[in-house]
Short mmCIF file of all heavy atoms in Angstrom, two decimals:
data_model
loop_
_atom_site.label_atom_id
_atom_site.label_comp_id
_atom_site.label_asym_id
_atom_site.label_seq_id
_atom_site.Cartn_x
_atom_site.Cartn_y
_atom_site.Cartn_z
N LEU A 92 -36.81 -13.28 26.08
CA LEU A 92 -35.65 -14.13 26.37
C LEU A 92 -34.96 -13.65 27.64
O LEU A 92 -34.56 -14.44 28.49
CB LEU A 92 -34.68 -14.00 25.19
CG LEU A 92 -33.90 -15.22 24.75
CD1 LEU A 92 -34.84 -16.37 24.53
CD2 LEU A 92 -33.15 -14.88 23.48
N TRP A 93 -34.87 -12.34 27.75
CA TRP A 93 -34.18 -11.76 28.90
C TRP A 93 -35.07 -11.80 30.14
O TRP A 93 -34.57 -11.81 31.26
CB TRP A 93 -33.77 -10.32 28.58
CG TRP A 93 -32.61 -10.27 27.66
CD1 TRP A 93 -32.63 -10.54 26.32
CD2 TRP A 93 -31.26 -9.99 27.99
NE1 TRP A 93 -31.36 -10.42 25.80
CE2 TRP A 93 -30.50 -10.07 26.81
CE3 TRP A 93 -30.60 -9.64 29.18
CZ2 TRP A 93 -29.13 -9.85 26.77
CZ3 TRP A 93 -29.23 -9.41 29.14
CH2 TRP A 93 -28.52 -9.52 27.94
N GLU A 94 -36.38 -11.82 29.90
CA GLU A 94 -37.26 -11.95 31.06
C GLU A 94 -37.17 -13.35 31.63
O GLU A 94 -37.21 -13.54 32.84
CB GLU A 94 -38.69 -11.57 30.68
CG GLU A 94 -38.90 -10.08 30.88
CD GLU A 94 -40.04 -9.48 30.09
OE1 GLU A 94 -40.80 -10.24 29.45
OE2 GLU A 94 -40.15 -8.24 30.12
N ARG A 95 -37.00 -14.33 30.74
CA ARG A 95 -36.88 -15.70 31.24
C ARG A 95 -35.61 -15.89 32.05
O ARG A 95 -35.59 -16.68 32.99
CB ARG A 95 -36.92 -16.68 30.06
CG ARG A 95 -38.33 -16.86 29.51
CD ARG A 95 -38.32 -17.64 28.22
NE ARG A 95 -37.77 -18.99 28.39
CZ ARG A 95 -37.30 -19.73 27.39
NH1 ARG A 95 -37.30 -19.26 26.17
NH2 ARG A 95 -36.84 -20.93 27.63
N SER A 96 -34.55 -15.19 31.70
CA SER A 96 -33.31 -15.33 32.48
C SER A 96 -33.34 -14.41 33.70
O SER A 96 -32.43 -14.44 34.52
CB SER A 96 -32.09 -15.01 31.62
OG SER A 96 -32.05 -13.62 31.32
N GLY A 97 -34.35 -13.56 33.78
CA GLY A 97 -34.47 -12.67 34.93
C GLY A 97 -33.60 -11.43 34.82
O GLY A 97 -33.40 -10.71 35.80
N ARG A 98 -33.07 -11.14 33.61
CA ARG A 98 -32.15 -10.00 33.50
C ARG A 98 -32.72 -8.78 32.79
O ARG A 98 -32.05 -7.76 32.67
CB ARG A 98 -30.86 -10.43 32.78
CG ARG A 98 -30.05 -11.44 33.58
CD ARG A 98 -28.57 -11.39 33.24
NE ARG A 98 -28.25 -11.78 31.87
CZ ARG A 98 -27.01 -11.82 31.39
NH1 ARG A 98 -25.98 -11.50 32.18
NH2 ARG A 98 -26.79 -12.17 30.15
N TRP A 99 -33.96 -8.91 32.27
CA TRP A 99 -34.49 -7.78 31.48
C TRP A 99 -34.55 -6.51 32.33
O TRP A 99 -34.05 -5.46 31.93
CB TRP A 99 -35.87 -8.12 30.91
CG TRP A 99 -36.48 -6.99 30.13
CD1 TRP A 99 -37.44 -6.13 30.56
CD2 TRP A 99 -36.13 -6.58 28.80
NE1 TRP A 99 -37.74 -5.21 29.57
CE2 TRP A 99 -36.94 -5.46 28.48
CE3 TRP A 99 -35.23 -7.04 27.84
CZ2 TRP A 99 -36.87 -4.80 27.25
CZ3 TRP A 99 -35.16 -6.39 26.62
CH2 TRP A 99 -35.97 -5.29 26.33
N ALA A 100 -35.15 -6.62 33.50
CA ALA A 100 -35.31 -5.43 34.34
C ALA A 100 -33.94 -4.85 34.71
O ALA A 100 -33.69 -3.66 34.56
CB ALA A 100 -36.09 -5.78 35.59
N GLY A 101 -33.05 -5.73 35.18
CA GLY A 101 -31.74 -5.25 35.61
C GLY A 101 -30.95 -4.60 34.48
O GLY A 101 -30.17 -3.68 34.72
N TYR A 102 -31.17 -5.06 33.25
CA TYR A 102 -30.39 -4.54 32.13
C TYR A 102 -31.05 -3.34 31.44
O TYR A 102 -30.40 -2.65 30.65
CB TYR A 102 -30.11 -5.64 31.10
CG TYR A 102 -28.79 -6.33 31.34
CD1 TYR A 102 -28.61 -7.18 32.42
CD2 TYR A 102 -27.71 -6.12 30.48
CE1 TYR A 102 -27.40 -7.79 32.65
CE2 TYR A 102 -26.49 -6.74 30.70
CZ TYR A 102 -26.34 -7.57 31.78
OH TYR A 102 -25.13 -8.17 32.02
N THR A 103 -32.34 -3.12 31.71
CA THR A 103 -32.98 -1.99 31.03
C THR A 103 -33.42 -0.90 32.01
O THR A 103 -33.29 0.28 31.71
CB THR A 103 -34.23 -2.46 30.24
OG1 THR A 103 -35.12 -3.12 31.14
CG2 THR A 103 -33.85 -3.39 29.12
N ALA A 104 -33.92 -1.30 33.18
CA ALA A 104 -34.38 -0.28 34.13
C ALA A 104 -33.19 0.32 34.86
O ALA A 104 -32.07 -0.16 34.76
CB ALA A 104 -35.35 -0.91 35.13
N GLY A 105 -33.47 1.37 35.60
CA GLY A 105 -32.44 1.97 36.45
C GLY A 105 -31.18 2.29 35.67
O GLY A 105 -31.21 3.00 34.67
N GLU A 106 -30.07 1.73 36.14
CA GLU A 106 -28.81 2.01 35.48
C GLU A 106 -28.43 0.91 34.51
O GLU A 106 -27.27 0.71 34.21
CB GLU A 106 -27.73 2.23 36.54
CG GLU A 106 -28.00 3.49 37.33
CD GLU A 106 -26.93 3.82 38.34
OE1 GLU A 106 -26.18 2.91 38.71
OE2 GLU A 106 -26.85 4.98 38.74
N GLY A 107 -29.43 0.19 34.02
CA GLY A 107 -29.18 -0.88 33.06
C GLY A 107 -28.49 -0.36 31.82
O GLY A 107 -28.61 0.81 31.48
N ILE A 108 -27.78 -1.25 31.13
CA ILE A 108 -26.94 -0.80 30.03
C ILE A 108 -27.41 -1.29 28.68
O ILE A 108 -26.72 -1.10 27.69
CB ILE A 108 -25.49 -1.25 30.24
CG1 ILE A 108 -25.45 -2.76 30.44
CG2 ILE A 108 -24.85 -0.51 31.39
CD1 ILE A 108 -24.10 -3.34 30.13
N MET A 109 -28.59 -1.91 28.63
CA MET A 109 -29.02 -2.44 27.33
C MET A 109 -29.83 -1.41 26.56
O MET A 109 -30.84 -0.90 27.04
CB MET A 109 -29.83 -3.72 27.53
CG MET A 109 -30.24 -4.37 26.23
SD MET A 109 -30.54 -6.16 26.34
CE MET A 109 -31.80 -6.24 27.58
N PHE A 110 -29.38 -1.11 25.34
CA PHE A 110 -30.21 -0.31 24.44
C PHE A 110 -31.42 -1.16 24.11
O PHE A 110 -31.29 -2.34 23.79
CB PHE A 110 -29.46 -0.02 23.14
CG PHE A 110 -28.33 0.96 23.28
CD1 PHE A 110 -27.01 0.54 23.24
CD2 PHE A 110 -28.59 2.31 23.43
CE1 PHE A 110 -25.98 1.45 23.35
CE2 PHE A 110 -27.56 3.23 23.53
CZ PHE A 110 -26.24 2.80 23.50
N HIS A 111 -32.60 -0.57 24.20
CA HIS A 111 -33.77 -1.37 23.85
C HIS A 111 -34.77 -0.53 23.09
O HIS A 111 -34.73 0.70 23.13
CB HIS A 111 -34.39 -2.00 25.09
CG HIS A 111 -34.68 -1.02 26.19
ND1 HIS A 111 -33.69 -0.48 26.98
CD2 HIS A 111 -35.83 -0.48 26.62
CE1 HIS A 111 -34.23 0.35 27.85
NE2 HIS A 111 -35.53 0.37 27.66
N LEU A 112 -35.65 -1.21 22.40
CA LEU A 112 -36.55 -0.53 21.48
C LEU A 112 -37.81 -1.37 21.33
O LEU A 112 -37.87 -2.50 21.78
CB LEU A 112 -35.87 -0.37 20.12
CG LEU A 112 -35.37 -1.68 19.51
CD1 LEU A 112 -35.98 -1.89 18.15
CD2 LEU A 112 -33.86 -1.68 19.43
N THR A 113 -38.79 -0.77 20.72
CA THR A 113 -40.05 -1.46 20.49
C THR A 113 -40.27 -1.55 18.98
O THR A 113 -40.10 -0.55 18.28
CB THR A 113 -41.21 -0.65 21.12
OG1 THR A 113 -40.86 -0.39 22.48
CG2 THR A 113 -42.50 -1.43 21.08
N ASP A 114 -40.60 -2.73 18.50
CA ASP A 114 -40.79 -2.86 17.05
C ASP A 114 -42.21 -2.46 16.65
O ASP A 114 -43.01 -2.07 17.49
CB ASP A 114 -40.42 -4.27 16.58
CG ASP A 114 -41.42 -5.33 17.05
OD1 ASP A 114 -42.51 -4.95 17.53
OD2 ASP A 114 -41.11 -6.53 16.92
#
Side-chain angles (χ1 to χ4, degrees):
Chain A
L92 216 52
W93 286 74
E94 271 158 7
R95 284 170 62 200
S96 70
R98 294 206 295 181
W99 179 258
Y102 267 71
T103 57
E106 293 183 340
I108 54 158
M109 183 154 58
F110 288 107
H111 52 286
L112 55 123
T113 308
D114 70 12

